């Protein structure tokens, strides 16, 4: 039998980070929103892929900075089991490289590799801008869910990782699909998410983080209102 293909996956292990990059689309520069994913959730993901006989070409372990998760290496081992069983094509750890010294001499499990995204190379778009504030229209369908992957965090599935902050700030958490439900094979919720996300504006290109002008980090009115309403989330 041929395994059913599910989209690429961005596994948001933690929103804690060693950097505070302006314009972070997880809002790590403002403060962590969610708890770390428990190892049991990763075990559930791999088990369900086997049970539902679904194959994912790539799982990207992201954050925040995924290596600060206290069970990072154990997560890699569990995902490697999915690689060895043929249900995961490859596992990529997306890291900013700031924690790399502590992993010197560590061999990652089979199927797992590093992808370094240092600050000087990162490209960001102004995330705290709502296209509807600027008179822009999302050109859709947005390519993020297919190119980057659908998102999994401690609360469940969303169509993309940018949706984590948007769902939280704009009271769209009903778009989450539970991990213990069917694994996703398509995207959903874009009509609700895209009007407040610059990634759906096809003709707007990002710039290197180090070159981003200060105005690009300032929120447009809808985002400013949402951040104010949810300000307690970001209090230390």
């Amino acid at each position: 039998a041929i395994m059913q293909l599910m989209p690429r996956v961005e596994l948001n292990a933690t929103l804690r980070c060693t950097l505070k990059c302006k314009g972070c689309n997880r809002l790590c520069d403002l403060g962590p929103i969610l708890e770390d994913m428990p190892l049991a959730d990763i075990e559930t993901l791999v088990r369900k892929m086997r049970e539902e006989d679904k194959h994912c070409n790539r799982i990207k372990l992201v954050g925040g900075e995924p290596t600060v998760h206290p069970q990072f290496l154990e997560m890699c081992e569990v995902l490697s089991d999915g690689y060895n069983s043929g249900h995961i094509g490859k596992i990529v750890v997306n890291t900013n490289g700031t924690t790399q010294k502590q992993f010197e001499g560590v061999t990652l499990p089979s199927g797992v590799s590093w992808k370094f995204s240092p600050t000087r190379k990162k490209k960001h778009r102004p995330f705290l801008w709502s296209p509807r504030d600027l008179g822009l229209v999302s050109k859709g369908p947005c390519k993020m869910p297919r190119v980057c992957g659908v998102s999994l965090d401690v609360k469940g599935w969303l169509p993309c990782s940018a949706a984590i902050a948007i769902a939280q700030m704009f009271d769209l958490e009903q778009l989450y699909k539970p991990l213990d439900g069917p694994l996703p094979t398509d995207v959903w919720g874009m009509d609700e998410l895209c009007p407040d996300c610059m990634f759906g504006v096809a003709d707007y290109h990002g710039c290197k983080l180090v070159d981003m002008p200060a105005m690009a980090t300032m929120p447009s009115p809808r985002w400013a209102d949402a951040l104010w309403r949810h300000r307690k989330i970001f209090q230390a």
Side-chain angles (χ1 to χ4, degrees), residues 78-157:
V78 173
L79 292 170
S80 180
D81 289 343
Y83 169 82
N84 292 329
S85 69
H87 291 83
I88 302 173
K90 62 180 178 179
I91 303 108
V92 177
V93 180
N94 199 53
T95 175
N96 60 35
T98 57
T99 63
Q100 198 57 25
K101 282 189 176 180
Q102 71 187 73
F103 295 102
E104 288 180 357
V106 174
T107 301
L108 294 179
S110 58
V112 185
S113 61
W114 297 106
K115 175 180 171 54
F116 294 96
S117 299
T119 303
R120 67 182 182 277
K121 293 184 178 180
K122 283 187 179 182
K123 285 190 176 182
H124 281 203
R125 295 185 180 195
F127 184 61
L128 301 182
W129 290 3
S130 289
R132 64 175 79 188
D133 284 337
L134 307 178
L136 300 173
V137 178
S138 296
K139 301 296 183 181
C142 180
K143 65 181 181 180
M144 280 190 69
R146 293 296 180 187
V147 175
C148 299
V150 294
S151 172
L152 180 63
D153 63 49
V154 70
K155 292 187 177 182
W157 295 100

Side-chain angles (χ1 to χ4, degrees), residues 14-27:
T14 179
L15 290 188
R16 293 184 292 120
C17 193
T18 54
L19 299 176
K20 298 291 183 183
C21 302
K22 294 297 184 182
C24 174
N25 62 50
R26 311 301 202 275
L27 301 189

Side-chain angles (χ1 to χ4, degrees), residues 126-138 166 170 193-198 201 218-224 226:
F127 184 61
L128 301 182
W129 290 3
S130 289
R132 64 175 79 188
D133 284 337
L134 307 178
L136 300 173
V137 178
S138 296
I166 297 170
F170 293 95
L193 295 163
C194 291
D196 291 303
C197 182
M198 288 295 290
V201 181
M218 299 299 292
S220 71
R222 280 182 55 81
W223 269 99

